[in-house]
């Protein structure tokens, strides 16, 4: 459905309320994706948990995006919590979604019960990477970054063994509006939580993929080391999007974090 957030922005969402005292989880996407990336993971989570997914501004069916910082995207997430009457949630953030989750945890810690930070970092990439990618898109459109992106998103085994799925996800990427992709890439370029991650004070699990060249395992280990009490798990043989490649493994890890939050 399309939710008009309390801050006035229209965001495409899918929401299932929690039953009883069960936890609510909010899922924040990676660059160039929409909320279908969580389908297989959510199918493996308990029926009574509350689940909120949304398309980041400029992605999927959500309009907007240009000129927004990561903190602006964090404000969108908090506005959605308000819209759906969610006092506190576990945020599961993937890649730029992990930056957005850090932004919310640092600035609105009272709204966050716990964090799953998958394939992200306190800082992602370099200005050269983001500016170069924007140039490539301006010159050749989204298709120009398609193949290289699939190599970052997925392990070799996935790319060679699951070609129909690979084509589906590549199609999702190249249908992302170029301006929105470049805008979110610029927001990633300008975000740096290295001096503030230590302020996060909720149970946190970091997830790394051994074949992830966008946010390699050492980036996740550094993130976990910066957040008091955080732990880091590396999944061998997966790339940047483990929720697609190995949803069973990610569901187990999310379950472990939720146990830490609710115990
Ligand atoms: O480089 C990629 O495509 C992966 C990525 C970096 C930030 C993000 O959200 O996705």
């Amino acid at each position: 459905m399309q939710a008009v957030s309390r801050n006035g922005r229209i965001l495409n969402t899918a929401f299932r309320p929690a039953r009883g005292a069960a936890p609510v989880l909010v899922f924040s996407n990676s660059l160039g994706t929409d909320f279908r990336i969580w389908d297989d993971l959510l199918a493996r989570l308990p029926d009574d948990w509350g689940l909120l997914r949304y398309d980041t501004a400029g992605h999927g069916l959500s309009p907007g995006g240009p000129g927004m910082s990561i903190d602006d995207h964090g404000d969108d997430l908090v506005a959605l919590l308000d819209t759906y009457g969610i006092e506190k949630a576990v945020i599961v953030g993937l890649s730029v979604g992990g930056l957005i989750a850090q932004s919310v945890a640092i600035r609105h810690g009272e709204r966050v019960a716990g964090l799953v930070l998958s394939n992200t970092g306190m800082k992602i990439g370099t200005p050269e990477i983001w500016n170069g990618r924007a140039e490539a898109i301006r010159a050749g459109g989204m298709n120009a970054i398609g193949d290289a992106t699939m190599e970052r998103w997925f392990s070799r085994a996935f790319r060679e063994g699951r070609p129909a799925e690979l084509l589906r996800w590549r199609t999702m990427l190249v249908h992302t509006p170029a301006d929105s992709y470049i805008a979110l890439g610029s927001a990633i370029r300008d975000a740096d939580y290295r001096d503030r991650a230590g302020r996060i004070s909720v149970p946190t699990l970091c997830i790394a993929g051994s074949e992830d060249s966008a946010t390699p395992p050492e980036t996740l280990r550094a993130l976990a080391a910066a957040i008091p009490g955080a732990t880091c798990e590396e999944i061998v043989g997966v790339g940047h999007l483990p929720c697609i490649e190995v949803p069973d493994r990610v569901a187990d890890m999310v379950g472990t974090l939720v146990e830490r939050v609710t115990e």
Side-chain angles (χ1 to χ4, degrees):
M1 80 184 255
Q2 290 219 312
V4 181
S5 308
R6 285 268 166 89
N7 66 1
R9 206 184 315 283
I10 297 168
L11 293 168
N12 186 47
T13 64
F15 178 55
R16 179 183 85 189
R19 288 209 299 266
V24 180
L25 283 71
V26 181
F27 297 82
S28 186
N29 274 48
S30 58
L31 177 66
T33 70
D34 62 49
F35 69 47
R36 287 173 295 180
I37 63 169
W38 304 108
D39 284 349
D40 289 345
L41 172 63
L42 266 54
R44 289 160 171 79
L45 299 180
D47 287 343
D48 60 337
W49 288 5
L51 304 174
L52 172 60
R53 294 187 277 172
Y54 69 101
D55 289 334
T56 308
H59 285 59
L61 299 180
S62 292
M68 289 177 71
S69 66
I70 295 298
D71 283 348
D72 293 331
H73 287 284
D75 291 345
D76 274 4
L77 194 157
V78 174
L80 282 178
L81 297 181
D82 292 342
T83 302
Y84 286 105
I86 301 165
E87 204 178 311
K88 240 178 174 168
V90 172
I91 304 178
V92 182
L94 173 64
S95 200
V96 65
L99 290 173
I100 294 168
Q102 290 172 70
S103 164
V104 175
I106 290 165
R107 297 181 305 120
H108 301 280
E110 75 288 352
R111 306 301 297 272
V112 183
L115 291 174
V116 178
L117 301 175
S118 179
N119 303 74
T120 184
M122 294 176 281
K123 179 165 180 55
I124 300 177
T126 61
E128 293 71 30
I129 287 175
W130 295 112
N131 294 338
R133 210 180 288 181
E135 280 310 305
I137 293 169
R138 287 193 190 99
M142 289 301 291
N143 210 37
I145 63 161
D147 292 342
T149 301
M150 292 307 104
E151 289 184 13
R152 289 190 302 276
W153 281 7
F154 299 113
S155 66
R156 178 182 293 277
F158 182 97
R159 284 182 273 125
E160 292 178 355
R162 295 161 68 175
E165 288 174 74
L166 185 71
L167 179 60
R168 177 178 183 235
W169 298 120
R170 191 185 192 285
T171 303
M172 175 189 65
L173 169 75
V174 301
H175 280 86
T176 305
D179 287 352
S180 300
Y181 185 99
I182 292 171
L184 191 53
S186 303
I188 297 169
R189 178 197 62 200
D190 298 339
D192 185 348
Y193 290 105
R194 286 176 294 186
D195 60 348
R196 282 172 290 164
R199 293 188 206 162
I200 296 174
S201 59
V202 294
T204 299
L205 169 65
C206 300
I207 300 175
S210 68
E211 292 193 33
D212 178 2
S213 59
T215 53
E218 57 266 27
T219 304
L220 275 297
R221 284 195 288 271
L223 174 61
I227 299 174
T231 55
C232 184
E233 299 274 351
E234 179 176 335
I235 307 177
V236 174
V238 304
H240 192 62
L241 304 183
C243 57
I244 292 176
E245 280 203 59
V246 288
D248 287 319
R249 296 287 306 280
V250 178
D252 285 348
M253 290 177 182
V254 171
T256 304
L257 186 278
V258 169
E259 272 172 29
R260 277 173 62 194
V261 167
T262 52
E263 72 191 5

